[in-house]
Amino acid sequence: MTDAKTAGNMSTARLLVAERARRDKQGKFPGLARLIDVEALRTAYQRLRPDAAVGVDGVSKAEYGRDLETRLADLHQRLVSKRYRHQPLKRVYIPKDNGEKRALGISTVEDKIVQEALRAVLELVYEPMFLECSYGYRPGRSAHDALRQLDRVVYQGGVRVILEADIVAFFDSVDRTRLKELLSERVVDGSMQRLIGKCLHVGVLDGEEYEEPEGGTPQGSVLSPLLGNIYLHYVLDQWFEEQVKPRLRGRAHLIRYADDLVMGFERWDDAERVREVLPKRMGKFGLTLHPEKTRLFRFEPPKEETGTGTETFDFLGFTCYWRRTLSGGWSMRCKTRRARLARAVQRVAQFCRRNRHRPVKEQHARLASRLRGHFNYFGVNGNIESLTVLYYRTKKLWKKWLGRRSQRTHMTWERFGGILQTLPLPKPQIEVKLWA
């Protein structure tokens, strides 16, 4: 850590670290902890969402910010003197596409500040060494970029075989000891290593029950996606590029967004070889491939004159499939995954039912926000039909539950149409072009 006397040099120091990381992708970095000064903590606080969920202490971002400078100075001193302790995570559950629930851990505002400051420093060191195949949680990259690359390798890269791999509970399965060993190859700062350890070895409070998970990275932590990328860089990306591809007879491609990944191959025999060794490689690092969700199949334009293709697969919330183009050829297209669309409709129904007695303008604002968010992600060219389904289902559900606000008032389509004239819902539109 650093004291106030050297705080003014942090901007220059960060630039030097970033430049060295770009030049030396195998180098070791001591003294990184000094980059986490009061200014870095302040920047981390400013990056927090205003409506971020509160942790076990019940303190919101606004409450923490009422005496921000005093709090940050105290936090910095505790970091410098190694007296900082990460508080337990508050366990919450969110629904998954398959009907199950995913457990997340909510950190306190102070712990989120430390995680974000730590993430920003680690990103300086690791971002330059990450490979092109990695798209998740990286600056300037998105899920849409991963889908564009998938389209490119299918169209231009000679991909005819897909290996779809699913890592079982990745973030819960990360071997912390192996992760820290991999981190030590580049981060040789003892203070940084201890701070990362404090963010990893943290307890979870689920109601009144307290537990300390023995493995994994805390889901919900802003630091976990970067640590996951570091882990899979060594476990998968680098291994695939440096050890697997040189041994294959044809072209091969890996596209990974966090723990979601697909591999494309030109030759079936190459794909079979990788399918055989991939579970063994994952097992060395405590990871397991789902036996039913990991599959190998041909993905090439249909040979018959009619139809839309034989095989499909899911990636990043979309279903990828073959579809005829206007010129009569075949191209890969993406549509909203059926389970994801069903979940979006279900959430609209739940919202309308639970909020039917709220002011109509308030309901409209929140429904419009939901639709815009969905369209911004799933509004890719070729997917207008799925967007339209959600749009019309939303209108029907909203009318239904507005009609149940009162037994004396009947919500006809004519009356509902008047509401929509004043408060129109966002219409489906293509927001993102995955291909020309």
Side-chain angles (χ1 to χ4, degrees), residues 18-120:
E19 179 58 32
R20 187 189 160 205
R22 282 190 291 268
R23 292 195 321 266
D24 187 1
K25 296 182 181 180
Q26 304 300 322
K28 298 181 182 296
F29 288 80
L32 291 175
R34 61 192 173 88
L35 299 180
I36 303 180
D37 61 348
V38 173
E39 179 62 31
L41 297 174
R42 186 183 301 110
T43 300
Y45 169 81
Q46 293 167 349
R47 289 177 177 171
L48 297 182
R49 290 173 45 188
D51 59 346
V54 300
V56 294
D57 62 357
V59 177
S60 67
K61 178 182 179 181
E63 291 172 313
Y64 192 92
R66 288 172 188 160
D67 194 14
L68 182 62
E69 296 307 317
T70 300
R71 287 179 180 270
L72 294 182
D74 175 69
L75 173 58
H76 180 248
Q77 285 302 313
R78 283 184 281 128
L79 290 168
V80 172
S81 60
K82 300 180 178 58
R83 292 182 292 112
Y84 165 76
R85 296 291 182 271
H86 196 298
Q87 295 190 61
L89 306 175
K90 183 171 73 173
R91 176 67 52 81
V92 297
Y93 297 91
I94 60 173
K96 298 170 65 174
D97 286 346
N98 58 8
E100 298 178 356
K101 292 185 177 181
R102 171 177 290 138
L104 294 181
I106 305 300
S107 303
T108 66
V109 169
E110 180 173 272
D111 293 329
K112 289 175 182 176
I113 292 172
V114 174
Q115 293 166 15
E116 172 58 27
L118 185 54
R119 185 207 60 79

Side-chain angles (χ1 to χ4, degrees), residues 261-291:
L261 63 105
V262 293
M263 295 179 179
F265 300 88
E266 185 178 11
R267 298 174 58 96
W268 181 268
D269 55 347
D270 285 341
E272 284 190 314
R273 291 176 61 192
V274 175
R275 182 180 60 175
E276 290 297 319
V277 300
L278 185 59
K280 300 173 185 177
R281 174 66 181 180
M282 292 292 187
K284 290 181 180 179
F285 294 85
L287 304 177
T288 305
L289 294 180
H290 196 294

Side-chain angles (χ1 to χ4, degrees), residues 370-386:
R370 284 172 177 268
L371 286 176
R372 279 192 293 268
H374 186 94
F375 295 161
N376 285 341
Y377 183 77
F378 289 101
V380 304
N381 45 340
N383 193 35
I384 194 67
E385 293 179 9
S386 297

Side-chain angles (χ1 to χ4, degrees), residues 29-263:
F29 288 80
L32 291 175
R34 61 192 173 88
L35 299 180
I36 303 180
D37 61 348
V38 173
E39 179 62 31
L41 297 174
R42 186 183 301 110
T43 300
Y45 169 81
Q46 293 167 349
R47 289 177 177 171
L48 297 182
R49 290 173 45 188
D51 59 346
V54 300
V56 294
D57 62 357
V59 177
S60 67
K61 178 182 179 181
E63 291 172 313
Y64 192 92
R66 288 172 188 160
D67 194 14
L68 182 62
E69 296 307 317
T70 300
R71 287 179 180 270
L72 294 182
D74 175 69
L75 173 58
H76 180 248
Q77 285 302 313
R78 283 184 281 128
L79 290 168
V80 172
S81 60
K82 300 180 178 58
R83 292 182 292 112
Y84 165 76
R85 296 291 182 271
H86 196 298
Q87 295 190 61
L89 306 175
K90 183 171 73 173
R91 176 67 52 81
V92 297
Y93 297 91
I94 60 173
K96 298 170 65 174
D97 286 346
N98 58 8
E100 298 178 356
K101 292 185 177 181
R102 171 177 290 138
L104 294 181
I106 305 300
S107 303
T108 66
V109 169
E110 180 173 272
D111 293 329
K112 289 175 182 176
I113 292 172
V114 174
Q115 293 166 15
E116 172 58 27
L118 185 54
R119 185 207 60 79
V121 173
L122 290 176
E123 187 176 85
L124 292 176
V125 174
Y126 283 98
E127 178 59 29
M129 68 179 287
F130 287 154
L131 302 182
E132 286 296 312
C133 62
S134 170
Y135 289 88
Y137 304 102
R138 295 182 60 188
R141 293 185 158 223
S142 69
H144 294 137
D145 292 323
L147 291 166
R148 289 190 188 96
Q149 178 62 11
L150 176 61
D151 177 66
R152 273 192 292 269
V153 301
V154 168
Y155 184 72
Q156 302 173 355
V159 166
R160 291 295 178 266
V161 182
I162 294 289
L163 175 56
E164 183 183 18
D166 183 270
I167 305 174
V168 177
F170 168 70
F171 287 101
D172 291 332
S173 303
V174 169
D175 186 321
R176 294 174 180 172
T177 300
R178 297 300 296 270
L179 173 60
K180 287 187 280 189
E181 290 173 355
L182 296 173
L183 285 166
S184 66
E185 294 185 14
R186 197 153 169 86
V187 177
V188 294
D189 184 327
S191 295
M192 283 289 283
Q193 292 174 355
R194 282 190 293 272
L195 187 54
I196 294 171
K198 290 180 184 295
C199 294
L200 281 174
H201 299 278
V202 57
V204 178
L205 193 61
D206 190 348
E208 296 182 353
E209 296 184 8
Y210 176 82
E211 62 175 337
E212 294 185 358
E214 296 181 357
T217 63
Q219 291 198 56
S221 164
V222 297
L223 186 59
S224 286
L226 177 57
L227 293 179
N229 270 339
I230 294 171
Y231 201 67
L232 285 177
H233 169 80
Y234 290 104
V235 174
L236 184 63
D237 302 354
Q238 194 175 68
W239 169 76
F240 187 81
E241 188 68 28
E242 298 179 1
Q243 299 185 43
V244 173
K245 288 175 66 174
R247 292 177 168 86
L248 302 180
R249 300 174 64 184
R251 288 173 287 182
H253 307 269
L254 166 65
I255 301 173
R256 180 177 66 80
Y257 189 95
D259 58 327
D260 290 329
L261 63 105
V262 293
M263 295 179 179

